[in-house]
Amino acid sequence: MDQAHPSFKLNNGSAIPAIGLGTWQSSDSQTRDAVEHALQHGYRHIDTAFNYGNEKEVGEGIRASGIPREDIWVTTKLDNPWHHRAQQGLEASLKNLDTGYIDLFLMHFPCSTDPDDPSKHLGDWDFVKTWQEMQKMLDSGKVKNIGVSNFQIRHLERLLNDPSCQVVPAVNQLELHPYNPSTKLLEYCRSKGIHCTAYSCLGGHTTSPINSHTDLASNDVVVRIAEKKGKTPAQVLVKWGLSRGTSMIPKSITPSRIESNFNMAGWALEEHEIAEISGIKTRAKVVGDSWMPIKVFFGDDE
């Protein structure tokens, strides 16, 4: 990571900001206000998705911030029912965001869902065909970078080994935190030149219908290190993720937390502290795949 300008270089030379604002499960006005506040307090990466239902509010927050569009990295994602009509999915997101172009367009999951029946997978379509369509978008000027999300090693192996794959994904956005470190998957992506962005990097809340654990901020190891450093547990978790070479998109709608999650300058975790956090044995995920017609998480990329 470039310390002077906190970003990570991608395999195509682009630079993705090291810390962005996540917007999953944020409501309309909350999203708009959080995006505006984040950008006015140093953030330059905003992450959203068509599936979140808040792209429009993200765009409004970007415009309200007063920050020039060219200074902001916008990530959004192609939803599962749009796989066989990826270009239309892109246009829908562009219309919602009204940002002119998208810096990073991700395939949200390796699951091509039948739009007429969410319980079914399209019989004549899969993520390899979706990627073929996404590769074409790079020539349009509407998308600067393309990547994937929630891809496991077996998905990436299949994609990268297919003759139609002419562009290696720039990014794989994954659920990454001490309870779901996915070290093997991270190492695989690194070996292929694929940068990883960590979502749900602070864990989740028990109120989420697809969450299986309490907030990581209450973990004894994280709390002890945070108290020693005079930092919040969330700050420690973000710093830990950065130390692994992953960009981070912590989600918050609280102004003070938005600011503190971004405040990584002037302090560091010691190697033994990083090792302590990495040594946490609890294993749990926030996002599962029971709501999709096919299984996408296999638990074999630890």
Side-chain angles (χ1 to χ4, degrees), residues 143-302:
V143 173
K144 303 296 185 183
N145 305 272
I146 56 173
V148 296
S149 181
N150 296 298
F151 269 52
Q152 309 301 287
I153 291 175
R154 65 180 69 185
H155 301 126
L156 291 168
E157 284 276 81
R158 181 160 173 240
L159 178 63
L160 296 175
N161 289 325
D162 192 278
S164 69
C165 182
Q166 302 298 311
V167 178
V168 175
V171 172
N172 187 10
Q173 188 179 122
L174 303 161
E175 178 180 345
L176 296 170
H177 48 72
Y179 288 175
N180 190 60
S182 300
T183 305
K184 184 178 176 183
L185 178 53
L186 277 185
E187 291 175 351
Y188 176 86
C189 288
R190 193 173 293 119
S191 74
K192 301 298 182 180
I194 302 171
H195 173 74
C196 290
T197 295
Y199 75 76
S200 291
C201 51
L202 307 182
H205 300 283
T206 53
T207 52
S208 170
I210 53 175
N211 181 48
S212 59
H213 64 84
T214 55
D215 200 320
L216 270 163
S218 63
N219 178 273
D220 291 345
V221 173
V222 175
V223 169
R224 174 168 48 78
I225 293 174
E227 290 176 347
K228 178 184 175 184
K229 293 290 183 183
K231 301 296 178 182
T232 67
Q235 286 177 306
V236 168
L237 290 166
V238 171
K239 184 69 84 169
W240 175 80
L242 293 173
S243 77
R244 305 176 84 212
T246 61
S247 51
M248 309 292 284
I249 47 171
K251 180 253 178 173
S252 181
I253 57 172
T254 306
S256 60
R257 290 178 182 171
I258 290 172
E259 293 174 37
S260 67
N261 290 346
F262 189 75
N263 186 11
M264 295 293 119
W267 66 283
L269 293 174
E270 304 294 333
E271 286 188 20
H272 70 88
E273 293 169 330
I274 294 171
E276 276 190 85
I277 297 171
S278 299
I280 292 172
K281 300 302 183 185
T282 303
R283 291 292 176 264
K285 277 176 60 62
V286 175
V287 176
D289 55 15
S290 61
W291 56 280
M292 288 183 280
I294 61 170
K295 191 172 182 61
V296 299
F297 300 124
F298 305 95
D300 57 355
D301 293 340
E302 177 62 27

Side-chain angles (χ1 to χ4, degrees), residues 2-19:
D2 184 337
Q3 297 299 328
H5 304 282
S7 63
F8 291 98
K9 185 166 285 190
L10 304 182
N11 56 23
N12 57 10
S14 296
I16 186 171
I19 302 175

Side-chain angles (χ1 to χ4, degrees), residues 94-157:
L94 281 168
K95 182 178 179 181
N96 288 338
L97 287 161
D98 193 21
T99 53
Y101 61 92
I102 293 166
D103 296 272
L104 177 61
F105 195 47
L106 303 176
M107 194 187 319
H108 207 157
F109 286 93
C111 176
S112 306
T113 303
D114 186 336
D116 297 320
D117 186 350
S119 69
K120 294 181 180 179
H121 190 268
L122 287 172
D124 60 348
W125 200 272
D126 64 14
F127 62 83
V128 174
K129 288 186 176 180
T130 308
W131 190 249
Q132 292 172 20
E133 296 306 305
M134 290 180 67
Q135 290 178 133
K136 300 173 185 177
M137 297 174 182
L138 292 172
D139 296 325
S140 68
K142 297 177 180 180
V143 173
K144 303 296 185 183
N145 305 272
I146 56 173
V148 296
S149 181
N150 296 298
F151 269 52
Q152 309 301 287
I153 291 175
R154 65 180 69 185
H155 301 126
L156 291 168
E157 284 276 81

